[in-house]
Amino acid sequence: MDKQAVKLLTAVDIDRIIEMAWEDRTTFDTIYDQFGISEVEVIKIMRKSMKRSSFLMWRERVSGRKTKHAKTSEAQRFHCSQQDKFKSR
C-alpha cells in the first residue's frame, strides 16, 4: 500500500489499526488481511499517531514478539463477534 492508499483510511480505520497493533495476539498478518496495511505501514501509523514515549514502549514490546507474526505464532486466534464490525472493505 502506498502513501495515497494510507490517506484513504478513515479515522475509524486508523483507530482500529492502532487497537489491533496494541493487542498482543493480533498479528500483523491479520491487520494486513483486514486493511491491506503492511507491518512497516502499521509502524508508520503508530509513530505518527502516538506520543513518542508510547510509540517507543509499543515498539520495544512487539519487537521480536512471535505472536505478532502468524508464521511464528503458536497462539490460538480468538475471533470476536464485533471484530468485523469495523471492517470498511
Side-chain angles (χ1 to χ4, degrees):
M1 179 173 266
D2 58 13
K3 289 183 180 182
Q4 182 86 13
V6 172
K7 290 180 182 179
L8 297 177
L9 293 170
T10 66
V12 172
D13 290 339
I14 291 171
D15 286 345
R16 182 63 183 139
I17 290 166
I18 292 169
E19 182 180 358
M20 291 173 77
W22 266 106
E23 295 170 352
D24 290 337
R25 301 243 182 242
T26 302
T27 65
F28 289 116
D29 299 321
T30 302
I31 296 171
Y32 180 81
D33 291 344
Q34 199 164 13
F35 294 98
I37 302 290
S38 70
E39 178 180 352
V40 172
E41 291 157 339
V42 170
I43 293 168
K44 288 178 184 177
I45 288 170
M46 296 293 278
R47 180 179 285 126
K48 182 179 175 185
S49 303
M50 301 169 70
K51 293 189 301 186
R52 179 173 168 75
S53 60
S54 297
F55 171 75
L56 292 174
M57 181 174 52
W58 173 77
R59 278 300 288 154
E60 184 177 335
R61 216 178 85 233
V62 300
S63 292
R65 182 179 286 261
K66 289 183 178 185
T67 56
K68 291 307 275 185
H69 300 279
K71 291 179 183 177
T72 59
S73 177
E74 295 175 10
Q76 296 294 320
R77 180 72 179 108
F78 173 74
H79 185 87
C80 175
S81 61
Q82 292 189 344
Q83 186 169 347
D84 292 328
K85 177 171 110 174
F86 298 103
K87 194 170 185 178
S88 62
R89 304 196 195 289

